[in-house]
Amino acid sequence: MFRNLLTRLFSEDEPSPQPLGGADGELAIAALLIRVARADDRYSEDEQHRIEAILARRSGLTHAQAGEQRAAAEMIEAEAPDTVSLTRCIKERVALEDRIGVITALWEVTLSDGRRSAEEEATVRLAAGLLGVNDVDSALARRQAADELGLERAGQ
């Protein structure tokens, strides 16, 4: 199952990528969330819970279903070739409006453990650029994520 999904997501042979179906698209996005959380080599429980909350919110999943989806996405992320390939497959298949939502979710994960991480922030900035989200929209997404987390400032 995961090998088939990886092939569909990262196939270089597909001339015009098809939109990701609900579950496949959410798994690809979840894998990117995990990629950001792991960027600083500290994949905390806070980040895992935040990812599950994001998955539940995006797809209307129960807590248990979100946990299962996160676990599946962890395997996808571990097998994904690199961040460029992962973001490319999302960009080619996900509308810009939803890509901005993805950046907001990435900032939520980055800010969720309460630690500043240059590696995580750099990965979000890289993903934003690769997804075609400009710096202004990324900054707005960061503020929205900080608000979602109840932080006074996204820079803290």
Side-chain angles (χ1 to χ4, degrees), residues 22 26 51-67 69:
E26 291 304 312
I51 289 168
E52 290 173 9
I54 291 166
L55 297 176
R57 182 178 70 226
R58 286 181 57 85
S59 302
L61 302 175
T62 66
H63 179 71
Q65 291 169 325
Q69 189 173 44

Side-chain angles (χ1 to χ4, degrees), residues 26 29 58 90 94-104:
E26 291 304 312
I29 291 166
R58 286 181 57 85
I90 294 169
V94 175
L96 178 61
E97 300 79 37
D98 196 31
R99 286 185 260 143
I100 294 170
V102 170
I103 298 304
T104 303

Side-chain angles (χ1 to χ4, degrees), residues 50 107-113 143-152:
R50 178 52 51 182
W107 280 119
E108 276 186 57
V109 172
T110 299
L111 299 171
S112 68
D113 63 3
R143 278 193 213 122
Q144 184 179 344
D147 290 345
E148 177 71 26
L149 295 169
L151 302 175
E152 289 189 30

